[in-house]
Amino acid sequence: MLLNQFLLLAAALFCIGVYGVLVRKNGMLVLMSIELILNSVNINLVAFGALTDDVGGEVFALFTIAVAAAEVGVGLAIVLLMYRNRRSIDLSEADLMKG
Amino acid sequence: MSSLLATALPLFIEGPSEVSSVTNDANWFLEHAWIIPLLPAVSFVLILFFGKRMPKKGAEFGIAAVGLAFVLAILTGVSWIDHRDNFDGPLAESPSTHADDGHHDEGHHDDAEHSDEEALGVAVIGPDGSSSSDDLVLTVDAEGEEGGEHAYVAVQKSTQWFQSGGIEFNAGILVDGLSVMMLFVVTLISLLVHIYSTDYVGGDRRYTHYFAFLSLFTASMLFFVLSDNILQMIVGWELVGVCSFALIGHWWEEKPNSDAALKAFLTNRVGDVGLLVGMITLFFAAGGGQTFDTLAINNAINQGVVSHTALVVAAAALMAAVMSKSGQFVLHTWLPDAMAGPTPVSALIHAATMVVAGIFMVARLYPVFFEGMSIGGSSINLLSTVGAVTLVFAGLLAFVQTDIKKVLAYSTVSQLGYMAMALGVGAWTAAVFHLFTHAFFKANLFLGSGSVAHAVHSFDMKKSMGGMKKFMPRTYVTFIIGSIALAGLPPLAGFWSKDEILVGTGGWGLFGGTGGNGAYTFHLLMGMVGAALTAAYMTRCVYLTFHGEYRGNDHAHDDAHDPHSVADPAHAGDSHDPHESGPRILWPLYILSGFAILVGFLNLPKGFQLVPESLQLRFEHFIEPAGASYFPAIAHGTPSWSLAVVSTAIAVLGIGGAYWYYFVKVDGLAKATGQHLTELPNGLVTTNKLARTAHKVLVEKYYLDHLYTGVIAGFTKGPLARATYWVNQNIIDGTVDTVGETSVKIGRGLYDKVDQGVIDGFVNGSGKVSDATGQELRHINTGRVQNYAALLFAGAAVLAGAFIVLLAL
């Protein structure tokens, strides 16, 4: 069944994305990993949309892409400010909120 | 009047214009007798507010008001005499308790006519009469002998003061022979005392207040005698008490005077408790809990519908009031001390008016005592016995007094004992007649003693008087007249009234002079002994004051009782020879002496062979409500020549004994030795042990004062107070303290264990748990975003796993 391959792809992408988010220290790479997660979800949405013959899936995916764009804009702005303040974008050093 | 009666008696539906006994102009005075007490009351207010600015410092208000009241009283008396013999107008209903009397026909009231009087705070009857007003009807229950006469009809006018709980509180006047007689006596003596006082207390620092209180006193007494209900009687009774306090304590700068005032007041309060209890008992027992009306109460008792037990209680309680106000034995101690006040006050209050309030009250509520004490047909009862004991014991005390006013004070107590005894043996008229005559001669004697004291600046007979006959011949003559009247020698006033009392005891079995309400032989005997004592102590008093040598220059003056000690320091300590008083002092003495000679003839005994029958028993005819429904059927004793002769002989014996001792022995010895003597240096008292003891007991006034202040008050102040304190400290406070301490303990326990331990434990524990948890959990809070994300994903993964597992189930 074609759906399974899509879902497996999405799951693989998701896992890669999560791995990237959790272990990368570079802020840019974390942002990119987040994009991977979002895109894996998009794949899922489109796949289910195709399965159920419903256009809602593609519409939802487009929404996610738009939101991701906005999100990545904000994320990049934060990373840029980090860089300006600390001359580094290493996330492991940004632990001001340590309890 | 109740609608019920209005329908039963169409005569009264016409309205107030039909009020009976308003048939001619003369009776206007009977209906408007309330003006008489109002005048001095107004004068009291005027003196208080304007007295000091007047030329005579307020005395003119008092004299004018009392003078006018006196004129009105005479006119009222004349109207009454006419009314008594000729009244045949319509009669009102006999007062009875109206349970259904909730609706008075108020339509007849014209408030505009009342407003001015009510503004004074005095409830009065307007000229239109009042809805609840009523002259009283008496059932004509003639005793055969009075068959051809008019019935005795009293005049009552009352208005509703206020209503509460269906009970009417009325204010009104009751005019009958008794109150008319009292109006005359009070206004006359008050007027004379006012005139006398202008000279006697002239220049006193509180001259204006003195006159204000004289006015208030007169108003109170008049208000009291006109009362038509027992509530009003209580008010008048207390008012005379408070005025007496103010007047006795007139010179309060000196402690004995203010003490005497307090003593008079407090002793009277003791009896007033009895008064309240008695009146309350009457209200519920005889007034049916509905009415305070005196006549209604008397009627109910006469109809025999009141329980005898209740009447016994009421009579006994009222006896306490009579004993205090009228100075009967054991509660008489205030009266002699009350001589600390100015002499005119003594004459007015302690001889003629206030102290007879108790006697008047008994006379007014006579059925209560007649039934309660079982006067008819018994041979001994509380009232008569207290009176008999009083008259003898007080008479004995008069012998050892050196202060002339105290002699007269004890004499007053003794004469009041006569009156109480007469009422107690059923000789109502005799008692009232004695009240009447005694007022004149005792006021005369008091004012006479004041006249003497005015001249010598002291009341001490032994130290400052003697031989005054030479200096004050006019005062001497009036004093002698008063003394003879008091001693009871014919034909002066005292003889007739005292003899009537002795007749009234009904104890004289000799020669047919019996009758009366029972054989009160013991009381007759006491009356006889009292007569001898009276005659003897008055003789002693006359000797010490007017005869022998003047002793006033023997020594420096003792000014303790000086009438001018406060008023007029210029007089203190001068020792010129005394001189006769001025006209304002002498004229009242002349007038009262005239009365002392004449008033006895108003009530010549029945069957007296020397005068026509039309002149006999006039006083009794006009004063005694014989056959009236509000008066018990008392029997009259039959006078006899033998009793009159014996009582006169006894009085002469008393005078003779005292004369022999003082005028013969003491005077003779004094002349022989040239010393100023007041008693024999080697008399019985100095030689005989028993006589010495008796004398000591008399000097100590039977130790009653010691009993009151030492034993009763001392016990109260000492052991009783200490015991009470102990009980208070140990038992009552102990309980309170224990409760307090226990509470404190429980509180401490609660605080320590429950509050600190449990509740705060919870609070602190939750804080600690939060703290500890926070300490542990802060390790999660690394500050690294990725750790958080890892947790998030871990959580999400767990949830997803759980979701899958649940779905699989």
Side-chain angles (χ1 to χ4, degrees):
Chain A
M1 190 167 179
L2 198 60
L3 179 66
N4 280 352
Q5 282 82 338
F6 280 112
L7 292 183
L8 284 171
L9 171 67
L13 271 179
F14 184 85
C15 290
I16 293 163
V18 167
Y19 173 81
V21 167
L22 293 185
V23 303
R24 288 289 169 185
K25 289 188 178 170
N26 189 318
M28 289 301 295
L29 283 172
V30 171
L31 279 177
M32 288 162 71
S33 307
I34 291 173
E35 288 303 311
L36 276 180
I37 295 172
L38 288 167
N39 275 316
S40 73
V41 174
N42 282 345
I43 289 168
N44 259 12
L45 287 169
V46 171
F48 282 116
L51 175 74
T52 54
D53 214 359
D54 182 5
V55 84
E58 284 90 334
V59 172
F60 218 124
L62 283 173
F63 262 110
T64 314
I65 290 164
V67 171
E71 178 257 337
V72 95
V74 173
L76 281 173
I78 292 172
V79 170
L80 191 63
L81 280 172
M82 263 180 81
Y83 182 74
R84 280 198 190 160
N85 282 329
R86 321 167 56 120
R87 290 273 154 223
S88 128
I89 49 170
D90 186 342
L91 288 182
S92 65
E93 290 173 15
D95 58 355
L96 269 178
M97 296 297 285
K98 183 175 174 14
Chain B
M1 61 196 71
S2 74
S3 55
L4 185 98
L5 276 154
T7 47
L9 297 168
L11 194 56
F12 300 109
I13 306 184
E14 309 296 320
S17 60
E18 282 291 303
V19 170
S20 51
S21 92
V22 195
T23 49
N24 54 41
D25 287 340
N27 279 330
W28 186 91
F29 292 108
L30 296 176
E31 272 207 15
H32 292 74
W34 51 264
I35 296 174
I36 299 174
L38 191 64
L39 285 166
V42 170
S43 138
F44 165 69
V45 175
L46 286 176
I47 294 174
L48 272 191
F49 283 102
F50 307 109
K52 289 224 160 111
R53 295 180 214 155
M54 301 302 288
K56 297 263 182 247
K57 298 277 175 270
E60 61 271 74
F61 285 132
I63 290 174
V66 177
L68 194 53
F70 175 57
V71 171
L72 280 173
I74 289 182
L75 291 169
T76 308
V78 171
S79 310
W80 171 257
I81 288 170
D82 176 57
H83 171 93
R84 168 73 178 92
D85 277 343
N86 304 318
F87 178 72
D88 44 11
L91 301 175
E93 81 276 15
S94 292
S96 56
T97 57
H98 309 304
D100 63 330
D101 219 9
H103 53 90
H104 273 279
D105 43 345
E106 298 285 2
H108 297 297
H109 273 291
D110 182 355
D111 286 336
E113 295 196 57
H114 285 262
S115 56
D116 54 342
E117 290 130 352
E118 281 167 1
L120 286 168
V122 197
V124 291
I125 316 296
D128 59 342
S130 127
S131 54
S132 57
S133 86
D134 12 0
D135 300 4
L136 173 69
V137 169
L138 306 162
T139 52
V140 184
D141 177 20
E143 312 171 10
E145 61 196 14
E146 302 207 335
E149 290 195 356
H150 274 81
Y152 189 99
V153 181
V155 180
Q156 185 186 7
K157 303 278 295 173
S158 68
T159 185
Q160 191 176 309
W161 178 20
F162 64 90
Q163 214 172 351
S164 168
I167 300 166
E168 283 175 40
F169 292 84
N170 290 332
I173 55 169
L174 173 60
V175 184
D176 68 349
L178 181 63
S179 47
V180 167
M181 183 276 286
M182 286 301 292
L183 288 182
F184 175 77
V185 170
V186 174
T187 49
L188 170 65
I189 289 180
S190 176
L191 178 63
L192 295 177
V193 162
H194 270 80
I195 291 166
Y196 182 99
S197 299
T198 54
D199 186 339
Y200 190 87
V201 296
D204 189 274
R205 70 168 57 164
R206 277 189 297 277
Y207 186 83
T208 305
H209 279 156
Y210 172 86
F211 273 92
F213 273 111
L214 275 191
S215 279
L216 182 63
F217 173 77
T218 310
S220 314
M221 188 69 195
L222 293 168
F223 177 82
F224 173 74
V225 300
L226 280 172
S227 301
D228 77 331
N229 59 66
I230 57 179
L231 211 57
Q232 207 170 317
M233 274 175 130
I234 295 173
V235 173
W237 178 282
E238 301 294 0
L239 270 172
V240 293
V242 84
C243 293
S244 126
F245 169 78
L247 285 166
I248 294 166
H250 180 68
W251 292 315
W252 47 258
E253 283 87 348
E254 289 158 44
K255 195 165 181 339
N257 298 350
S258 69
D259 283 352
L262 276 175
K263 186 173 180 180
F265 195 69
L266 294 176
T267 313
N268 269 299
R269 299 305 312 161
V270 174
D272 290 350
V273 173
L275 179 79
L276 286 175
V277 172
M279 292 301 195
I280 291 166
T281 312
L282 282 185
F283 171 70
F284 285 105
Q290 292 291 337
T291 180
F292 288 100
D293 192 281
T294 314
L295 297 183
I297 287 170
N298 285 352
N299 281 336
I301 295 170
N302 278 339
Q303 287 160 17
V305 297
V306 183
S307 103
H308 183 73
T309 317
L311 288 179
V312 172
V313 171
L318 291 175
M319 260 310 290
V322 176
M323 282 163 78
S324 68
K325 188 68 87 187
S326 290
Q328 299 298 299
F329 188 68
V330 301
L331 286 182
H332 68 276
T333 52
W334 66 272
L335 215 159
D337 283 35
M339 296 302 124
T343 309
V345 168
S346 308
L348 177 61
I349 299 191
H350 305 122
T353 59
M354 180 186 108
V355 293
V356 301
I359 304 294
F360 178 89
M361 194 256 297
V362 179
R364 177 54 87 211
L365 294 168
Y366 201 51
V368 179
F369 293 86
F370 197 79
E371 303 295 330
M373 302 265 183
S374 307
I375 287 169
S378 68
S379 63
I380 193 154
N381 63 56
L382 182 64
L383 178 60
S384 61
T385 309
V386 166
V389 168
T390 304
L391 76 91
V392 171
F393 278 41
L396 285 170
L397 283 176
F399 281 98
V400 297
Q401 303 303 321
T402 58
D403 181 320
I404 185 170
K405 276 174 77 181
K406 291 218 166 166
V407 174
L408 296 174
Y410 280 114
S411 163
T412 304
V413 174
S414 169
Q415 298 301 307
L416 288 163
Y418 266 113
M419 296 172 207
M421 182 181 91
L423 286 166
V425 300
W428 188 91
T429 311
V432 174
F433 187 49
H434 195 60
L435 187 165
F436 180 71
T437 58
H438 169 259
F440 298 115
F441 56 72
K442 187 51 64 64
N444 175 17
L445 288 171
F446 263 112
L447 295 181
S449 73
S451 173
V452 176
H454 200 60
V456 301
H457 310 306
S458 161
F459 285 102
D460 196 313
M461 294 189 295
K462 290 192 174 179
K463 281 184 184 163
S464 315
M465 296 182 186
M468 300 302 293
K469 182 171 65 149
K470 187 167 65 203
F471 306 111
M472 313 182 78
R474 296 189 178 87
T475 303
Y476 174 64
V477 170
T478 59
F479 200 88
I480 286 288
I481 291 172
S483 302
I484 295 175
L486 173 57
L489 292 187
L492 275 69
F495 165 75
W496 300 105
S497 53
K498 185 161 58 70
D499 203 52
E500 208 177 323
I501 291 175
L502 298 179
V503 168
T505 58
W508 187 250
L510 206 63
F511 309 115
T514 53
N517 295 283
Y520 289 93
T521 320
F522 164 74
H523 303 89
L524 176 71
L525 188 72
M526 292 298 257
M528 294 282 195
V529 172
L533 292 176
T534 310
Y537 66 67
M538 279 322 289
T539 311
R540 170 181 176 270
C541 177
V542 167
Y543 172 79
L544 290 179
T545 310
F546 290 99
H547 292 269
E549 290 298 314
Y550 179 52
R551 295 178 289 272
N553 293 333
D554 290 4
H555 50 80
H557 272 297
D558 170 20
D559 277 338
H561 271 295
D562 185 345
H564 290 296
S565 57
V566 175
D568 198 355
H571 275 279
D574 58 350
S575 46
H576 54 79
D577 273 353
H579 52 84
E580 185 60 272
S581 308
R584 280 175 298 169
I585 288 184
L586 285 176
W587 272 103
L589 291 177
Y590 297 157
I591 291 166
L592 288 168
S593 304
F595 274 103
I597 296 170
L598 296 174
V599 288
F601 301 123
L602 290 177
N603 205 33
L604 297 169
K606 192 173 174 59
F608 189 52
Q609 290 87 343
L610 306 184
V611 293
E613 200 176 333
S614 60
L615 293 179
Q616 293 169 6
L617 292 180
R618 291 292 83 196
F619 186 87
E620 179 175 312
H621 170 74
F622 288 113
I623 308 296
E624 183 180 306
S629 67
Y630 65 89
F631 196 72
I634 56 173
H636 295 100
T638 317
S640 64
W641 279 98
S642 53
L643 178 59
V645 169
V646 169
S647 74
T648 308
I650 285 178
V652 170
L653 203 71
I655 293 176
Y659 187 90
W660 175 80
Y661 182 85
Y662 282 103
F663 285 78
V664 179
K665 302 283 286 188
V666 176
D667 212 39
L669 191 67
K671 283 195 170 65
T673 59
Q675 291 172 301
H676 289 171
L677 290 177
T678 53
E679 60 210 4
L680 289 180
N682 54 356
L684 260 184
V685 172
T686 47
T687 53
N688 180 317
K689 192 152 181 273
L690 189 67
R692 193 159 54 238
T693 314
H695 185 260
K696 180 99 169 72
V697 170
L698 287 179
V699 169
E700 296 291 350
K701 298 177 271 189
Y702 305 120
Y703 296 95
L704 276 177
D705 280 343
H706 296 287
L707 174 72
Y708 294 152
T709 54
V711 179
I712 296 178
F715 175 73
T716 311
K717 282 194 297 196
L720 186 63
R722 276 198 294 276
T724 317
Y725 180 74
W726 186 89
V727 169
N728 187 24
Q729 286 300 310
N730 291 303
I731 296 175
I732 300 177
D733 275 14
T735 313
V736 175
D737 287 347
T738 311
V739 170
E741 281 158 13
T742 315
S743 305
V744 168
K745 280 198 186 99
I746 293 172
R748 284 227 171 279
L750 274 178
Y751 177 75
D752 285 343
K753 303 278 182 303
V754 180
D755 188 60
Q756 294 294 313
V758 180
I759 298 175
D760 278 12
F762 273 123
V763 177
N764 293 341
S766 64
K768 282 199 181 81
V769 170
S770 307
D771 189 49
T773 321
Q775 289 296 348
E776 294 307 316
L777 285 178
R778 54 189 274 235
H779 301 306
I780 301 171
N781 220 9
T782 54
R784 294 189 181 171
V785 186
Q786 284 158 313
N787 291 1
Y788 305 158
L791 283 174
L792 191 148
F793 285 118
V798 169
L799 281 177
F803 190 62
I804 286 163
V805 169
L806 283 174
L807 277 185
L809 292 174

